[in-house]
Amino acid sequence: MKNIIRFAFTLSILTVGFTSCTKVINLDLNSANPNIVVDAEVTDQPGPYTVNLTKTVNFSDNNVFPPIYGASVIISDNVGNSETLVETSAGFYTTSHLQGVVGRTYNISITNEGKNYTAISTMPAGVSIDSVIADTSANQGGGFGGGGRSGPPSVSIKAIFTDPSGIANYYRLIEYTNRVPNYKNISVISDNLQDGSVITANVTRRDTTIHHGDSVTVILESIDANVYEYFRTLRQITRPQTGFQASVPGNPTTNLSNNALGFFSAQAVRQKTIVVP
Amino acid sequence: MKKLISVLLALAITINLVAQTNKFTISGYVKDAKTGEELIGATVIIKEIPATGINTNAYGYYSITIPEGTYTVVAQYIGYELKTDTIVLKQNVKRDFVLSEKVNQLNEIVVTDEKKDENITNTQMGVQKLDVQQIKAIPVFMGEQDILKTLQLLPGVKSVGDGSSGIYVRGGTASQNLVLLDEATVYNASHLLGFFSVFNSDAIKDVTLYKGTQPAEFGGRLTSVLDIKMRDGNDQKYSVSGGIGLIASRLNFEGPIKKGKGSFLVSARRTYADFLLKTFDKTFKGSSLYFYDLNLKANYKLNDKNRIYVSGYFGKDVLGFGGFGLNYGNATGTVRLNHLFTEKLFSNTSLIFTNYDYKVTTSFGANNLDIVSRIQDYAFKEDFQYFLNSKNKIKFGLNSTFHRIIPGVITSSTNSPISKQHLNNKYALENALYVSHEVKPTTKFSFEYGLRLTSFSLFGPGTFYTYDANDNITDSANYSKSQIVKTYINLQPRAAANYVLNSKSSFKANYSRNVQYLHLLSNSTSGNPTDLWVPSSNNIKPEIADEFSLGYFRNFLNNMLETSVEAYYSNFQNQIDYINGAQLNLNANVESQLLYGRGRAYGLEFFLKKKYGRFNGWIGYTLARSERLINGINSNNWYPATQDITHDISVVGIFEISKKWTASAAFVYYTGNAVTFPSGKYQVNGQVVFYYTERNGYRMPPYNRLDIGFTYQAKKTAKFESSWNFSCYNAYGHENPYSITFQQDPNNPEQTQAVMTYLFRWVPSITYNFKF
């Protein structure tokens, strides 16, 4: 829907006979009090699992995000297991014996500088990838925002999997090219409109460049509804926006308490690797 | 209904009996000599009795009841020669006035008739009437005259963005304006995603914007009513007019059905930029992008007492490229019957239909996906105007509207994995009863008060949910067809008073309460054709606004200069905002995405207008504030609304250089909108994300622009007229930001940057207009 609006906007501007111009400007933005950022996952695969804690910086600062030292991080589940994580490097806290199990509800509790932050997440059952396809015929240029001009030809990667029917499923897909994750493309899917169907998910974007001979891995995470909501809203605010269709920006909807940023996800993970022919 | 009429008539007769002298009624229509069109808001006065002035109503009808005697009756209208008639009043008299347009405006010396001070004597304030002739002299954008863009040049009215035809009125949102075309609600008044309005000025006769207290016959929106009336068509002779512009052309054909009895009008407009684009740029082959408008109207005078009008509007935007398409448009239809019960009691009965829909089509490979959404109104309206005597006028009536909202239907080709979905249709009935009384007890003082009683009921069938503060469903109930889910009833009083200090100045005060039962959900910064209308429900309460305003009006130089200062304060209840990342389209639980709160708007509007002479124009300045307090936003503190504009200045000048050439200029300056910018950033999952600490905590840079235009009257004879218009929008090429976005610096991965997008600089246009 958003894409369609953006495309319509581009067309309208062209109709009016003028393409829009852009320019980098200096804005005097306020400084923000540093806030905690949590990046935490538990999976159904063997551990250890790592929690990364960092702080926000001001907009004008360099992209260097200070780690949070000396916090207390505890992950527990609903059957009585609990583990206090150990800080193994600056800002990284690691488990040693906790094992994620499908169907269990996990709780994270972080205490830092006298404030406590918590979140819960329930691990859904894993869904396997049926196949991964490298579509070399696709020309992903053109289309939205590009003013209708064609981009360079590229390979587009599609993952095909079968949605279990009768229950609400949420997925997040991550594509790795030669073991390098492409986090910029946030791909989350809800089976809301396609329960029980065979889903074909496009996991590459226009600006992803994949070549013949590359090794491509697609990871399919089965996530809970709150984590889906986090990534859906994160995608909404991080994708490039043209002025017209821009929704009012805000922080993504997190499952963490006390205004913390980031997310905590208990997820089942499946993957498949192919070599691009 | 019949009971109500008889009660009111009895009341009126009682008042009548109190006045003992023999009284008679002068009534009739005021018309244009050339086209036979009735003139709306023309003034009819009795010279011998001061303060008897009356304006013709929306159908050009007037009625004055005064004691027996001999009177000089004057009828006048802006831009027309006035007409005087002597009437010996011994019985009821029917008298139509036929006024001729002033031929030569250039050598006109200030007319010395005393009745050009309507702004002083009228009780209404916050009312802006646009003279369609005057619009034609103002510089245009892309060669298209646009009434909504002209309204943006008036105090208290602001554009929603550069080049946009959308308006904010007195701190309200764009969807808090009621836009009526021949009484039918127009749900989306813009083309090409906002750059043009749907109103083709060839077909428009009268434009009135009520930005303060709305007369009791209007209702349904909080901040303003934009009442637009289509022309009736020339009932004297066949006439063709049109215009050829850079992106669009217009053609208008009108004429008598039977001379002096009835007329018709057909007016069409279409853009053709898509043809040009396809010719110059091969990538646009197979794409489509255009809009069109079609206005149709016919009227016929059945006899002296009855006249019937039929009018329709059809407009559509068609945008398509590759596998994607977006079509949207309005259709409205109105059938009206004017009936004169007596010379004093005028009535109008209307049947109204309106439809707004959009359709999004997507095709990928062999699969198609269509999304359709629609809102429809079926309305009945009955209005009475009772011209009791020269001091009293009573209006009353009722209307009833059935709303049918189809929020979204998804259909797809059979082999598509995406299943069909049909969000529950919404059905609602909105009713109103109103009465208002205008009284002039003395020549100094006049008063108008009214009451509007409204009800709104939401009907089944369907499942209706209740949500808690965390947007979780707490309860659900199934309703069968026609079962009432929720009913709201509201009493909406309004009052307006005018005290004339002397012949040059007056003081006015207004109060009104308005209620809005339909809400537009839009969390984009400037509105989309796919924004969703939702009815009030068990979760969404009706929006309520109370507005107080005060005004001082003063004319100088024999009414050549009009000045006014108006102050207003509005209190809004049950305002709607959205949670972060709200999902509004195709969401069955859309009501879980909403937040509710209060609003307040206040301001001062200064206006100086030179009405006549070779040089005319106006200066408007508004100092205002519009704020919101929404539960769940900015820690429940007051914050500026998007439409909060502190300063807004517009200057418009029109100068007749010679008989052939007219020059015009318009300058606009306003404070940037309140916007949300990030204050910080952080990294999560390997990606830099911006950190927002406050909703609407920042401002866009100030906006300013100068437009200039020249009109050359190439030919003007009785048989043929033609003119050229040359305009330049944003003549000094100021880079007005359309949006500001934030991104990674492409040259330095360690840094982030702000990028401004701007659209229109030095936009020239040329239009050729003709009429024969």
Side-chain angles (χ1 to χ4, degrees):
Chain A
M1 182 68 79
K2 290 273 159 166
N3 277 343
I4 287 156
I5 297 294
R6 192 187 312 166
F7 125 84
F9 176 72
T10 310
L11 283 187
S12 304
I13 292 291
L14 285 165
T15 314
V16 184
F18 295 80
T19 33
S20 52
C21 306
T22 56
K23 152 174 151 176
V24 175
I25 54 166
N26 276 319
L27 272 185
D28 186 20
L29 296 170
N30 301 336
S31 53
N33 290 330
N35 194 0
I36 186 169
V37 182
V38 178
D39 190 335
E41 295 174 2
V42 172
T43 71
D44 65 339
Q45 306 297 312
Y49 315 118
T50 302
V51 172
N52 184 18
L53 301 181
T54 51
K55 282 182 179 174
T56 63
V57 298
N58 288 331
F59 185 84
S60 54
D61 294 344
N62 279 340
N63 291 345
V64 177
F65 303 96
I68 292 177
Y69 306 98
S72 147
V73 182
I74 301 165
I75 297 178
S76 54
D77 65 21
N78 59 340
V79 294
N81 300 307
S82 178
E83 183 176 356
T84 302
L85 282 70
V86 176
E87 187 174 2
T88 47
S89 62
F92 288 91
Y93 299 78
T94 311
T95 59
S96 55
H97 55 79
L98 189 83
Q99 173 59 52
V101 176
V102 166
R104 287 188 188 168
T105 300
Y106 290 85
N107 180 80
I108 189 168
S109 171
I110 299 162
T111 308
N112 182 49
E113 292 171 3
K115 279 189 179 170
N116 181 249
Y117 310 90
T118 59
I120 55 166
S121 179
T122 302
M123 191 182 296
V127 173
S128 299
I129 300 172
D130 300 338
S131 60
V132 173
I133 297 171
D135 185 354
T136 48
S137 66
N139 176 357
Q140 298 205 336
F144 313 129
R149 306 301 191 279
S150 309
S154 178
V155 178
S156 112
I157 305 295
K158 292 184 170 76
I160 298 167
F161 56 95
T162 309
D163 180 65
S165 65
I167 49 164
N169 294 87
Y170 304 94
Y171 306 98
R172 177 175 177 223
L173 293 112
I174 306 162
E175 183 265 334
Y176 285 67
T177 308
N178 300 326
R179 295 171 183 276
V180 180
N182 177 16
Y183 285 130
K184 268 197 166 176
N185 183 23
I186 299 170
S187 174
V188 281
I189 293 171
S190 154
D191 69 350
N192 179 25
L193 290 175
Q194 43 194 340
D195 184 44
S197 64
V198 174
I199 295 174
T200 303
N202 198 342
V203 294
T204 43
R205 283 205 316 194
R206 202 185 333 150
D207 55 4
T208 321
T209 42
I210 294 170
H211 302 99
H212 302 282
D214 282 349
S215 156
V216 170
T217 302
V218 176
I219 292 186
L220 177 64
E221 300 177 347
S222 295
I223 54 179
D224 72 11
N226 292 330
V227 177
Y228 169 77
E229 194 58 17
Y230 174 79
F231 281 101
R232 186 187 69 77
T233 51
L234 179 69
R235 178 176 60 185
Q236 192 170 331
I237 64 160
T238 52
R239 82 161 113 214
Q241 304 209 334
T242 52
F244 186 84
Q245 53 90 55
S247 49
V248 175
N251 298 321
T253 311
T254 177
N255 54 358
L256 291 153
S257 68
N258 221 348
N259 292 323
L261 299 164
F263 69 101
F264 169 59
S265 176
Q267 59 204 19
V269 177
R270 299 290 180 271
Q271 66 176 61
K272 207 168 196 95
T273 302
I274 60 159
V275 174
V276 177
Chain B
M1 184 66 221
K2 273 209 167 140
K3 249 185 190 164
L4 182 79
I5 299 172
S6 39
V7 167
L8 284 163
L9 282 179
L11 180 78
I13 291 161
T14 327
I15 300 172
N16 242 351
L17 286 176
V18 178
Q20 287 297 321
T21 38
N22 273 341
K23 288 193 169 184
F24 298 105
T25 303
I26 308 171
S27 65
Y29 291 86
V30 180
K31 297 179 192 181
D32 178 308
K34 211 156 125 194
T35 64
E37 291 238 9
E38 276 72 24
L39 298 171
I40 301 170
T43 321
V44 179
I45 55 166
I46 312 291
K47 275 213 157 164
E48 287 77 6
I49 311 175
T52 45
I54 188 162
N55 290 333
T56 54
N57 71 9
Y59 304 92
Y61 183 75
Y62 76 95
S63 167
I64 304 178
T65 304
I66 44 175
E68 198 172 334
T70 304
Y71 297 104
T72 317
V73 184
V74 183
Q76 61 192 18
Y77 190 67
I78 291 177
Y80 286 76
E81 305 283 357
L82 61 83
K83 203 142 199 186
T84 308
D85 206 347
T86 303
I87 292 177
V88 181
L89 195 62
K90 288 187 294 198
Q91 63 199 35
N92 288 345
V93 172
K94 280 194 98 66
R95 187 63 47 95
D96 292 351
F97 288 90
V98 179
L99 307 187
S100 309
E101 244 181 294
K102 277 176 187 149
V103 193
N104 193 342
Q105 302 234 332
L106 180 61
N107 298 324
E108 181 198 349
I109 299 160
V110 179
V111 188
T112 52
D113 65 279
E114 59 272 66
K115 196 63 197 186
K116 274 182 174 169
D117 57 348
E118 255 170 54
N119 60 318
I120 299 291
T121 56
N122 209 317
T123 54
Q124 269 171 339
M125 55 191 279
V127 180
Q128 300 283 359
K129 263 184 101 80
L130 272 193
D131 179 1
V132 178
Q133 289 302 316
Q134 197 170 28
I135 299 173
K136 291 191 173 158
I138 290 170
V140 296
F141 175 63
M142 301 301 301
E144 286 298 298
Q145 284 155 8
D146 200 315
I147 51 174
L148 284 170
K149 285 183 186 156
T150 309
L151 285 169
Q152 291 168 359
L153 299 169
L154 297 167
V157 185
K158 225 250 1 169
S159 164
V160 303
D162 193 19
S164 170
S165 63
I167 57 171
Y168 294 134
V169 179
R170 285 191 172 174
T173 64
S175 62
Q176 288 169 345
N177 305 315
L178 179 63
V179 181
L180 298 173
L181 179 64
D182 271 358
E183 298 189 49
T185 305
V186 177
Y187 280 98
N188 181 357
S190 69
H191 279 308
L192 275 177
L193 306 181
F195 296 121
F196 299 96
S197 84
V198 300
F199 305 109
N200 174 359
S201 55
D202 280 356
I204 303 303
K205 172 169 170 174
D206 186 80
V207 179
T208 307
L209 175 71
Y210 300 93
K211 53 182 187 176
T213 294
Q214 308 162 4
E217 61 263 39
F218 298 114
R221 297 290 183 279
L222 289 194
T223 48
S224 79
V225 176
L226 179 60
D227 186 21
I228 298 171
K229 301 212 165 63
M230 276 166 55
R231 293 202 298 121
D232 296 324
N234 194 325
D235 72 355
Q236 300 297 310
K237 67 179 186 75
Y238 293 102
S239 165
V240 177
S241 63
I244 298 163
L246 284 182
I247 71 151
S249 280
R250 293 169 279 118
L251 192 65
N252 180 80
F253 179 54
E254 58 194 288
I257 293 172
K258 191 174 173 190
K259 199 174 168 180
K261 275 263 190 192
S263 58
F264 70 91
L265 172 125
V266 179
S267 198
R269 171 169 75 162
R270 192 200 191 275
T271 62
Y272 37 65
D274 51 338
F275 298 133
L276 299 177
L277 275 177
K278 281 182 210 174
T279 316
F280 293 124
D281 192 336
K282 291 280 176 284
T283 48
F284 286 98
K285 230 168 169 194
S287 69
S288 54
L289 65 156
Y290 59 89
F291 69 76
Y292 64 82
D293 294 301
L294 184 62
N295 292 79
L296 305 168
K297 191 159 179 179
N299 76 89
Y300 196 78
K301 207 169 168 179
L302 304 169
N303 52 44
D304 271 358
K305 288 201 162 17
N306 294 292
R307 185 166 182 177
I308 190 161
Y309 296 80
V310 181
S311 50
Y313 163 79
F314 308 91
K316 198 130 213 119
D317 279 68
V318 179
L319 306 165
F321 186 78
F324 296 90
L326 171 63
N327 299 348
Y328 63 97
N330 298 282
T332 71
T334 315
V335 179
R336 285 179 291 183
L337 179 73
N338 282 181
H339 176 70
L340 274 178
F341 284 95
T342 71
E343 292 79 5
K344 288 180 175 186
L345 184 63
F346 180 95
S347 82
N348 177 62
T349 310
S350 304
L351 290 173
I352 304 157
F353 169 74
T354 182
N355 176 75
Y356 172 73
D357 58 35
Y358 71 79
K359 181 178 179 183
V360 175
T361 53
T362 319
S363 58
F364 33 90
N367 293 329
N368 287 312
L369 180 69
D370 288 356
I371 302 166
V372 176
S373 177
R374 189 184 290 276
I375 178 166
Q376 290 178 332
D377 284 358
Y378 303 83
F380 168 78
K381 263 186 97 190
E382 183 68 59
D383 299 296
F384 294 93
Q385 290 173 28
Y386 187 64
F387 302 89
L388 182 57
N389 53 40
S390 64
K391 289 198 168 78
N392 291 280
K393 184 172 148 191
I394 294 167
K395 289 188 286 186
F396 57 99
L398 63 88
N399 52 66
S400 190
T401 306
F402 179 69
H403 302 286
R404 181 164 171 253
I405 300 172
I406 302 169
V409 179
I410 303 176
T411 50
S412 55
S413 45
T414 43
N415 53 348
S416 158
I418 298 198
S419 51
K420 271 187 193 170
Q421 217 197 8
H422 190 145
L423 298 185
N424 274 345
N425 288 358
K426 299 280 163 71
Y427 304 95
L429 185 66
E430 187 172 355
N431 294 310
L433 266 178
Y434 72 89
V435 59
S436 78
H437 180 198
E438 190 182 339
V439 58
K440 294 176 185 168
T442 72
T443 53
K444 288 261 184 210
F445 186 66
S446 53
F447 193 65
E448 185 173 351
Y449 59 97
L451 199 58
R452 189 177 167 88
L453 176 69
T454 56
S455 76
F456 185 90
S457 302
L458 180 69
F459 292 100
T463 307
F464 292 80
Y465 299 101
T466 313
Y467 304 90
D468 66 7
N470 296 321
D471 306 324
N472 300 312
I473 295 171
T474 57
D475 192 18
S476 75
N478 282 305
Y479 290 87
S480 57
K481 200 178 173 218
S482 311
Q483 196 180 352
I484 292 178
V485 178
K486 184 81 190 172
T487 295
Y488 291 98
I489 293 174
N490 278 286
L491 205 52
Q492 301 168 234
R494 54 203 74 200
N498 180 14
Y499 186 75
V500 179
L501 300 167
N502 54 49
S503 64
K504 292 192 185 71
S505 62
S506 70
F507 188 75
K508 303 180 191 185
N510 280 193
Y511 161 75
S512 67
R513 163 169 280 209
N514 287 304
V515 178
Q516 179 161 349
Y517 295 108
L518 291 178
H519 321 277
L520 185 68
L521 303 186
S522 167
N523 69 343
S524 71
T525 32
S526 56
N528 286 332
T530 54
D531 290 341
L532 184 71
W533 285 97
V534 293
S536 295
S537 68
N538 47 326
N539 295 299
I540 307 174
K541 294 193 181 74
E543 298 176 58
I544 299 175
D546 289 289
E547 197 205 60
F548 304 86
S549 52
L550 289 174
Y552 176 72
F553 293 74
R554 162 99 211 225
N555 289 2
F556 296 94
L557 302 173
N558 210 349
N559 295 329
M560 191 164 76
L561 277 184
E562 279 183 14
T563 62
S564 65
V565 183
E566 294 187 32
Y568 67 88
Y569 180 89
S570 300
N571 182 43
F572 300 99
Q573 299 173 47
N574 306 328
Q575 297 298 285
I576 296 171
D577 218 309
Y578 316 97
I579 59 170
N580 281 344
Q583 176 83 41
L584 300 178
N585 287 103
L586 299 175
N587 183 351
N589 296 314
V590 69
E591 292 181 358
S592 69
Q593 309 287 298
L594 310 181
L595 299 171
Y596 307 98
R598 293 190 281 145
R600 63 186 179 201
Y602 45 94
L604 270 176
E605 297 170 356
F606 299 88
F607 193 49
L608 166 67
K609 185 177 186 181
K610 184 171 179 293
K611 284 170 79 177
Y612 314 103
R614 257 180 95 169
F615 176 77
N616 61 69
W618 68 83
I619 300 172
Y621 169 67
T622 312
L623 176 67
R625 196 157 284 283
S626 178
E627 296 170 307
R628 288 186 151 200
L629 177 70
I630 304 285
N631 203 0
I633 296 179
N634 290 354
S635 324
N636 298 358
N637 288 315
W638 284 99
Y639 68 95
T642 305
Q643 65 275 14
D644 177 47
I645 311 297
T646 316
H647 304 282
D648 179 8
I649 300 167
S650 37
V651 182
V652 175
I654 299 159
F655 181 65
E656 290 192 42
I657 303 169
S658 68
K659 281 188 184 183
K660 294 252 174 208
W661 284 93
T662 306
S664 62
F667 169 78
V668 183
Y669 172 95
Y670 56 80
T671 314
N673 291 6
V675 285
T676 307
F677 288 156
S679 293
K681 57 187 172 184
Y682 57 96
Q683 193 167 32
V684 68
N685 235 256
Q687 196 184 1
V688 175
V689 181
F690 299 117
Y691 175 36
Y692 298 90
T693 53
E694 198 183 353
R695 180 86 59 100
N696 285 357
Y698 290 91
R699 289 273 166 190
M700 294 291 274
Y703 180 96
N704 64 83
R705 174 189 103 218
L706 174 75
D707 304 338
I708 51 172
F710 292 93
T711 307
Y712 175 66
Q713 187 81 52
K715 205 169 181 184
K716 188 166 188 177
T717 66
K719 288 231 164 93
F720 187 80
E721 277 178 42
S722 69
S723 67
W724 290 87
N725 180 290
F726 309 90
S727 288
C728 186
Y729 179 89
N730 197 358
Y732 56 72
H734 185 73
E735 293 168 354
N736 285 307
Y738 189 80
S739 68
I740 292 174
T741 51
F742 301 87
Q743 64 178 38
Q744 196 85 355
D745 185 342
N747 304 317
N748 180 0
E750 287 302 301
Q751 275 290 324
T752 40
Q753 61 183 201
V755 178
M756 163 180 124
T757 303
Y758 55 93
L759 302 180
F760 304 113
R761 301 170 72 195
W762 305 295
V763 185
S765 66
I766 174 168
T767 310
Y768 173 72
N769 292 306
F770 61 88
K771 187 177 181 179
F772 56 87

